Amino acid sequence: MELHIALQKNFGSFTLDVDSTLRGNSIGVFGPSGSGKSTLVSLIAGLQQAESGRIVLNGNLLYDTSRRINVSPDKRRIGIIFQRPLLFPHLNVKNNLLYGFKRSMAGNRTIDFDTLADVLRINHLLDRGVNNLSGGEKQRVAIGRAVLSNPRLLLMDEPLSGLDDTLRFQIISYLKSACEIFAIPYLFISHSILEMRLMTHQVLSIEQGRIIEETTPENLSRICMGLNPAGYVNLLKLALSHQLEDMCVYLWGNTTLFISGKNDQPDLLFELSSKDIILFKRHPEAISARNLLQCVVTGIFESNGKVGIELGCGDERLVAEVVHQVVGELDIAVGSTVFAAIKASAFRRLG
Amino acid sequence: MFTLASSDYNAILLSIKVAVTATVLSLPFGFAVAWLITYGRFRGKVALEVMTNLPLTLPPVVIGYLLLLLLGSNGFLGQLLDSIGIRVIFTWRAAVIATAVVGFPLMVRSIRLAMESIDPDLVHAARTLGATRLNAILTVILPLSMRGLIAGSSLMFARGLGEFGATIIVAGNIPGVTQTIPMAIFEYAASPSGDTMALMLCVVSISISIVVLLFHEYLCKRIMRAN
């Protein structure tokens, strides 16, 4: 997918002014609330018009003020998954799902209804009224409805911000699998770095209506580490090895991790804050933390007064956060060996 | 004893016919005006709103008189209709027009209330799913305004049954032609021996109104349940 946007729009004292060409199939638009993300979504979908500018999607001109071209939203084939499900209350689940499908051109229909219903696990809901669905079910139907309209591009406008944590990670996996299976490129809009890392490969960072930078989600979280109360969030996909009293032992690369809490699922995603890793220069003899890893420093970076230490542990990577003095006191440099201590309770299970 | 003269039956049927016709004719216009006021962004929107609501505040007699000027043999519309052979003044058609004008603001108000409660993002969702502007109106706004359409129609029909002031001026009080229930009651009330007959028509009037209100409640409940 290639999307070129060059747009200017004024709202009183606020101006949105962006110019960029986005290439890729999972692109994030990151920024704080009020930075113009949702306006950008409306402009790309054609629900609002910019005062001047151009939008070109895959070589197809959708909007051009100089040539007075403005393709209407229904002809753009750009679907939106909104923050709220916005299901049509007068239609049942099946008719909601088919609303966009019926209006798509027969030649563009590549999505199979039954396959999608399987992927989103909504087969058993088809005859229900939409007011009898739970929050997660509603959002799944909304995803299905947008995907079934056979869009060339899906805009996801903070689709997870109305959901609680457990639901959030469930919906992320539905969003990802639906878009991957049916090969639909998407723009994912959010103010959450974690969501950016789980959903995108490339991020457009926006502030006060302007593009600050184009970067990777990994870089973005490093840049934001010093400002984020949670620091840098390490994401660890772990395979369960066995239970040990009130802890579980997981395989991580060629080592093991002890994590508090019981679990019976084979694979799990955990987050670990960079602030929860304590570094030692030498092996401490006895410590209460259940995990002690011997690591090699593979990188050092600055972020708003804090220092991030990238640790290599076999093939795996972790980022720990320290203050400036520590770097000198522990003689931390790329290539040096350190020991990282992590409490078993410091890991937080996602989803 | 409950007895009605044959002219009374005519008056009852004519009342219903006039009120139904005026309501049915006003529905599409009422929907369109309510849509323009709720969603439209154009110059003169305030003027449209004021014009729509004006009959609500004007004495019906004033409306009747203005319609008489417009539709009469010297009026602009009257001459136009005369040239194609349609006579309006002092026919049941005039009663329909008078009823429609007087009841129109009630209908628009009810539809507007329903439309304003529709989440505008639902329309946006429909547009991005491939619905043209008109298609989104017909498949999202129209069904979701149904309660307003029903409420507006019942209100307008009920108001139409009672319409007197404007109708008597443009349509007159001709038994069998333009005499509706209120006209008949008016005539009975003016004659010394008409009390019982007037009362009978009052009972009929009340009964029709109750039936309409019950029907309205029933439809609204059904829609609530369906949603």
Side-chain angles (χ1 to χ4, degrees):
Chain A
M1 189 265 305
E2 184 181 289
L3 176 67
H4 170 67
I5 41 170
L7 299 163
Q8 288 87 42
K9 187 167 176 70
N10 292 306
F11 300 91
S13 59
F14 180 84
T15 311
L16 180 80
D17 187 352
V18 292
D19 188 345
S20 178
T21 303
L22 307 169
R23 292 182 191 87
N25 288 331
S26 53
I27 301 166
V29 177
F30 174 83
S33 41
S35 57
K37 306 188 297 289
S38 288
T39 306
L40 188 61
V41 167
S42 292
L43 294 175
I44 296 174
L47 298 172
Q48 285 185 46
Q49 273 72 47
E51 269 114 43
S52 66
R54 254 163 81 84
I55 302 172
V56 187
L57 175 61
N58 298 338
N60 211 308
L61 189 60
L62 298 179
Y63 187 73
D64 192 341
T65 37
S66 62
R67 288 165 62 184
R68 292 174 177 270
I69 289 174
N70 178 19
V71 177
S72 67
D74 48 294
K75 304 278 182 306
R76 291 194 183 190
R77 287 187 60 212
I78 296 178
I80 304 188
I81 297 172
F82 296 86
Q83 192 174 337
R84 293 172 298 144
L86 291 173
L87 301 178
F88 301 122
H90 56 296
L91 302 177
N92 67 10
V93 170
K94 186 168 186 184
N95 287 327
N96 262 285
L97 287 168
L98 288 174
Y99 191 92
F101 187 78
K102 285 179 189 161
R103 286 164 179 78
S104 61
M105 300 249 289
N108 294 331
R109 289 178 188 164
T110 53
I111 315 281
D112 179 58
F113 183 92
D114 296 323
T115 316
L116 181 73
D118 272 343
V119 171
L120 296 172
R121 299 207 188 132
I122 45 179
N123 316 45
H124 60 293
L125 305 173
L126 297 180
D127 293 324
R128 280 214 218 157
V130 294
N131 292 329
N132 300 324
L133 301 178
S134 70
E137 288 169 339
K138 278 184 186 165
Q139 198 58 302
R140 264 144 64 198
V141 175
I143 296 169
R145 184 178 66 173
V147 169
L148 269 170
S149 68
N150 292 280
R152 292 185 283 185
L153 169 67
L154 251 184
L155 305 174
M156 305 180 182
D157 189 5
E158 311 221 19
L160 308 167
S161 57
L163 306 171
D164 64 44
D165 254 9
T166 325
L167 219 49
R168 208 148 68 109
F169 295 105
Q170 280 173 17
I171 297 293
I172 283 183
S173 69
Y174 285 120
L175 277 173
K176 279 185 89 161
S177 45
C179 288
E180 274 164 23
I181 291 170
F182 300 108
I184 303 172
Y186 58 84
L187 277 194
F188 183 86
I189 285 85
S190 176
H191 58 263
S192 152
I193 299 174
L194 185 60
E195 289 173 12
M196 283 294 150
R197 286 177 59 195
L198 293 171
M199 285 297 298
T200 68
H201 288 110
Q202 193 186 334
V203 178
L204 199 65
S205 180
I206 293 189
E207 231 169 82
Q208 290 176 328
R210 284 182 168 62
I211 296 174
I212 304 296
E213 62 189 331
E214 286 174 52
T215 177
T216 61
E218 174 61 33
N219 253 332
L220 179 74
S221 34
R222 290 183 181 208
I223 295 164
C224 297
M225 182 185 78
L227 295 173
N228 194 342
Y232 173 97
V233 175
N234 291 289
L235 289 173
L236 297 91
K237 197 166 170 77
L238 304 177
L240 179 68
S241 166
H242 58 278
Q243 306 252 356
L244 192 76
E245 292 169 12
D246 57 349
M247 287 190 293
C248 282
V249 182
Y250 295 88
L251 301 174
W252 184 56
N254 46 18
T255 177
T256 52
L257 290 174
F258 294 82
I259 295 178
S260 306
K262 297 213 184 312
N263 161 44
D264 44 17
Q265 285 172 1
D267 281 309
L268 271 183
L269 187 66
F270 287 92
E271 67 170 22
L272 170 68
S273 164
S274 57
K275 295 186 173 179
D276 288 332
I277 303 174
I278 302 171
L279 299 182
F280 293 85
K281 196 175 175 182
R282 276 178 289 278
H283 192 294
E285 257 178 34
I287 54 166
S288 66
R290 288 300 82 194
N291 300 291
L292 187 66
L293 309 167
Q294 185 174 358
C295 311
V296 178
V297 175
T298 52
I300 298 175
F301 62 93
E302 235 332 295
S303 172
N304 285 289
K306 298 284 173 59
V307 181
I309 314 286
E310 190 189 277
L311 307 168
C313 191
D315 291 334
E316 305 295 337
R317 292 283 176 277
L318 276 182
V319 170
E321 183 182 328
V322 296
V323 289
H324 274 285
Q325 298 154 297
V326 173
V327 181
E329 280 174 25
L330 269 67
D331 281 334
I332 294 175
V334 174
S336 58
T337 299
V338 290
F339 291 86
I342 309 159
K343 293 176 77 167
S345 58
F347 296 86
R348 201 171 75 94
R349 183 175 156 174
L350 299 179
Chain B
M1 270 309 289
F2 191 86
T3 47
L4 290 166
S6 72
S7 65
D8 293 342
Y9 284 112
N10 283 337
I12 294 165
L13 285 178
L14 186 67
S15 274
I16 294 173
K17 179 173 150 186
V18 166
V20 167
T21 314
T23 306
V24 170
L25 285 180
S26 302
L27 262 174
F29 296 104
F31 183 80
V33 170
W35 182 82
L36 277 175
I37 293 175
T38 313
Y39 296 98
R41 262 176 288 168
F42 56 94
R43 268 167 193 248
K45 191 168 147 177
V46 177
L48 178 70
E49 264 190 87
V50 170
M51 283 299 291
T52 310
N53 284 326
L54 206 55
L56 209 59
T57 48
L58 282 179
V61 176
V62 172
I63 297 166
Y65 188 66
L66 293 175
L67 282 176
L68 187 66
L69 292 181
L70 191 70
L71 297 167
S73 47
N74 294 325
F76 164 70
L77 262 179
Q79 284 180 349
L80 202 74
L81 289 168
D82 238 9
S83 65
I84 53 169
I86 299 174
R87 215 180 98 86
V88 174
I89 292 298
F90 301 121
T91 66
W92 75 281
R93 293 189 198 103
V96 169
I97 292 173
T99 306
V101 172
V102 171
F104 195 65
L106 296 173
M107 170 163 285
V108 172
R109 232 154 225 273
S110 303
I111 303 175
R112 238 179 96 180
L113 273 178
M115 271 186 192
E116 280 166 359
S117 68
I118 300 174
D119 187 339
D121 280 342
L122 281 176
V123 181
H124 288 154
R127 295 299 310 274
T128 62
L129 290 166
T132 60
R133 191 185 290 259
L134 181 65
N135 191 242
I137 292 173
L138 294 177
T139 59
V140 178
I141 297 179
L142 180 62
L144 291 177
S145 313
M146 208 41 95
R147 263 190 89 164
L149 286 162
I150 292 169
S153 304
S154 335
L155 258 175
M156 190 170 170
F157 178 78
R159 174 70 184 81
L161 284 178
E163 171 39 38
F164 182 82
T167 312
I168 200 158
I169 291 186
V170 275
N173 181 7
I174 311 163
V177 182
T178 62
Q179 190 177 66
T180 54
I181 299 175
M183 313 277 174
I185 294 175
F186 176 66
E187 209 170 292
Y188 281 131
S191 86
S193 59
D195 274 359
T196 325
M197 301 304 275
L199 215 57
M200 289 298 154
L201 281 178
C202 288
V203 171
V204 171
S205 230
I206 293 168
S207 312
I208 297 175
S209 298
I210 289 175
V211 169
V212 170
L213 291 174
L214 286 176
F215 183 64
H216 166 239
E217 284 297 313
Y218 163 76
L219 279 181
C220 285
K221 285 227 170 77
R222 262 193 63 167
I223 286 183
M224 286 268 279
R225 227 175 299 140
N227 286 351

PDB file of all heavy atoms in Angstrom, chain A residues 261-273:
ATOM      1  N   GLY A 261       2.413 -16.426  39.674  1.00  0.00           N
ATOM      2  CA  GLY A 261       1.050 -16.658  39.172  1.00  0.00           C
ATOM      3  C   GLY A 261       0.949 -17.954  38.405  1.00  0.00           C
ATOM      4  O   GLY A 261       1.925 -18.421  37.815  1.00  0.00           O
ATOM      5  N   LYS A 262      -0.255 -18.527  38.458  1.00  0.00           N
ATOM      6  CA  LYS A 262      -0.483 -19.795  37.763  1.00  0.00           C
ATOM      7  C   LYS A 262      -0.972 -19.526  36.350  1.00  0.00           C
ATOM      8  O   LYS A 262      -1.482 -18.470  36.036  1.00  0.00           O
ATOM      9  CB  LYS A 262      -1.525 -20.612  38.521  1.00  0.00           C
ATOM     10  CG  LYS A 262      -1.072 -20.996  39.915  1.00  0.00           C
ATOM     11  CD  LYS A 262      -1.652 -22.341  40.297  1.00  0.00           C
ATOM     12  CE  LYS A 262      -1.312 -22.754  41.710  1.00  0.00           C
ATOM     13  NZ  LYS A 262       0.084 -22.631  42.087  1.00  0.00           N
ATOM     14  N   ASN A 263      -0.809 -20.505  35.494  1.00  0.00           N
ATOM     15  CA  ASN A 263      -1.214 -20.351  34.098  1.00  0.00           C
ATOM     16  C   ASN A 263      -1.281 -21.721  33.451  1.00  0.00           C
ATOM     17  O   ASN A 263      -0.504 -22.608  33.765  1.00  0.00           O
ATOM     18  CB  ASN A 263      -0.183 -19.461  33.389  1.00  0.00           C
ATOM     19  CG  ASN A 263      -0.243 -19.621  31.888  1.00  0.00           C
ATOM     20  OD1 ASN A 263      -1.315 -19.643  31.315  1.00  0.00           O
ATOM     21  ND2 ASN A 263       0.904 -19.762  31.276  1.00  0.00           N
ATOM     22  N   ASP A 264      -2.239 -21.910  32.560  1.00  0.00           N
ATOM     23  CA  ASP A 264      -2.296 -23.208  31.887  1.00  0.00           C
ATOM     24  C   ASP A 264      -2.226 -23.062  30.360  1.00  0.00           C
ATOM     25  O   ASP A 264      -2.458 -24.007  29.634  1.00  0.00           O
ATOM     26  CB  ASP A 264      -3.569 -23.963  32.298  1.00  0.00           C
ATOM     27  CG  ASP A 264      -4.779 -23.071  32.297  1.00  0.00           C
ATOM     28  OD1 ASP A 264      -4.690 -21.986  31.666  1.00  0.00           O
ATOM     29  OD2 ASP A 264      -5.797 -23.436  32.905  1.00  0.00           O
ATOM     30  N   GLN A 265      -1.890 -21.865  29.898  1.00  0.00           N
ATOM     31  CA  GLN A 265      -1.788 -21.687  28.449  1.00  0.00           C
ATOM     32  C   GLN A 265      -0.343 -21.887  27.996  1.00  0.00           C
ATOM     33  O   GLN A 265       0.584 -21.515  28.716  1.00  0.00           O
ATOM     34  CB  GLN A 265      -2.268 -20.285  28.060  1.00  0.00           C
ATOM     35  CG  GLN A 265      -3.777 -20.185  28.126  1.00  0.00           C
ATOM     36  CD  GLN A 265      -4.275 -18.779  27.945  1.00  0.00           C
ATOM     37  OE1 GLN A 265      -3.497 -17.852  27.748  1.00  0.00           O
ATOM     38  NE2 GLN A 265      -5.573 -18.624  28.005  1.00  0.00           N
ATOM     39  N   PRO A 266      -0.141 -22.465  26.817  1.00  0.00           N
ATOM     40  CA  PRO A 266       1.223 -22.780  26.386  1.00  0.00           C
ATOM     41  C   PRO A 266       2.054 -21.532  26.058  1.00  0.00           C
ATOM     42  O   PRO A 266       3.233 -21.482  26.368  1.00  0.00           O
ATOM     43  CB  PRO A 266       1.016 -23.626  25.129  1.00  0.00           C
ATOM     44  CG  PRO A 266      -0.368 -23.300  24.651  1.00  0.00           C
ATOM     45  CD  PRO A 266      -1.157 -22.940  25.860  1.00  0.00           C
ATOM     46  N   ASP A 267       1.429 -20.529  25.435  1.00  0.00           N
ATOM     47  CA  ASP A 267       2.175 -19.333  25.040  1.00  0.00           C
ATOM     48  C   ASP A 267       1.537 -18.112  25.669  1.00  0.00           C
ATOM     49  O   ASP A 267       0.317 -17.998  25.681  1.00  0.00           O
ATOM     50  CB  ASP A 267       2.109 -19.142  23.519  1.00  0.00           C
ATOM     51  CG  ASP A 267       3.072 -20.062  22.832  1.00  0.00           C
ATOM     52  OD1 ASP A 267       4.242 -20.068  23.239  1.00  0.00           O
ATOM     53  OD2 ASP A 267       2.636 -20.769  21.907  1.00  0.00           O
ATOM     54  N   LEU A 268       2.367 -17.217  26.152  1.00  0.00           N
ATOM     55  CA  LEU A 268       1.803 -16.008  26.747  1.00  0.00           C
ATOM     56  C   LEU A 268       2.691 -14.810  26.452  1.00  0.00           C
ATOM     57  O   LEU A 268       3.899 -14.946  26.271  1.00  0.00           O
ATOM     58  CB  LEU A 268       1.695 -16.163  28.260  1.00  0.00           C
ATOM     59  CG  LEU A 268       0.406 -16.757  28.820  1.00  0.00           C
ATOM     60  CD1 LEU A 268       0.464 -16.758  30.328  1.00  0.00           C
ATOM     61  CD2 LEU A 268      -0.811 -15.974  28.352  1.00  0.00           C
ATOM     62  N   LEU A 269       2.031 -13.644  26.399  1.00  0.00           N
ATOM     63  CA  LEU A 269       2.773 -12.406  26.189  1.00  0.00           C
ATOM     64  C   LEU A 269       2.852 -11.676  27.527  1.00  0.00           C
ATOM     65  O   LEU A 269       1.838 -11.525  28.215  1.00  0.00           O
ATOM     66  CB  LEU A 269       2.042 -11.563  25.143  1.00  0.00           C
ATOM     67  CG  LEU A 269       2.752 -10.305  24.674  1.00  0.00           C
ATOM     68  CD1 LEU A 269       4.027 -10.656  23.909  1.00  0.00           C
ATOM     69  CD2 LEU A 269       1.838  -9.483  23.778  1.00  0.00           C
ATOM     70  N   PHE A 270       4.066 -11.267  27.899  1.00  0.00           N
ATOM     71  CA  PHE A 270       4.246 -10.523  29.153  1.00  0.00           C
ATOM     72  C   PHE A 270       4.878  -9.182  28.864  1.00  0.00           C
ATOM     73  O   PHE A 270       5.610  -9.025  27.887  1.00  0.00           O
ATOM     74  CB  PHE A 270       5.166 -11.291  30.108  1.00  0.00           C
ATOM     75  CG  PHE A 270       4.527 -12.500  30.720  1.00  0.00           C
ATOM     76  CD1 PHE A 270       4.659 -13.742  30.103  1.00  0.00           C
ATOM     77  CD2 PHE A 270       3.796 -12.400  31.889  1.00  0.00           C
ATOM     78  CE1 PHE A 270       4.067 -14.858  30.660  1.00  0.00           C
ATOM     79  CE2 PHE A 270       3.207 -13.522  32.456  1.00  0.00           C
ATOM     80  CZ  PHE A 270       3.342 -14.755  31.835  1.00  0.00           C
ATOM     81  N   GLU A 271       4.577  -8.219  29.744  1.00  0.00           N
ATOM     82  CA  GLU A 271       5.321  -6.968  29.652  1.00  0.00           C
ATOM     83  C   GLU A 271       6.167  -6.809  30.898  1.00  0.00           C
ATOM     84  O   GLU A 271       5.808  -7.288  31.983  1.00  0.00           O
ATOM     85  CB  GLU A 271       4.379  -5.770  29.454  1.00  0.00           C
ATOM     86  CG  GLU A 271       3.476  -5.449  30.615  1.00  0.00           C
ATOM     87  CD  GLU A 271       2.749  -4.115  30.458  1.00  0.00           C
ATOM     88  OE1 GLU A 271       2.613  -3.632  29.333  1.00  0.00           O
ATOM     89  OE2 GLU A 271       2.320  -3.581  31.487  1.00  0.00           O
ATOM     90  N   LEU A 272       7.320  -6.156  30.714  1.00  0.00           N
ATOM     91  CA  LEU A 272       8.238  -5.944  31.818  1.00  0.00           C
ATOM     92  C   LEU A 272       8.797  -4.533  31.664  1.00  0.00           C
ATOM     93  O   LEU A 272       9.402  -4.204  30.642  1.00  0.00           O
ATOM     94  CB  LEU A 272       9.369  -6.981  31.752  1.00  0.00           C
ATOM     95  CG  LEU A 272      10.540  -6.747  32.709  1.00  0.00           C
ATOM     96  CD1 LEU A 272      10.099  -6.944  34.161  1.00  0.00           C
ATOM     97  CD2 LEU A 272      11.688  -7.696  32.382  1.00  0.00           C
ATOM     98  N   SER A 273       8.582  -3.722  32.676  1.00  0.00           N
ATOM     99  CA  SER A 273       9.045  -2.333  32.586  1.00  0.00           C
ATOM    100  C   SER A 273      10.554  -2.274  32.730  1.00  0.00           C
ATOM    101  O   SER A 273      11.155  -3.016  33.517  1.00  0.00           O
ATOM    102  CB  SER A 273       8.372  -1.503  33.683  1.00  0.00           C
ATOM    103  OG  SER A 273       9.079  -0.285  33.823  1.00  0.00           O
TER     104      SER A 273
END
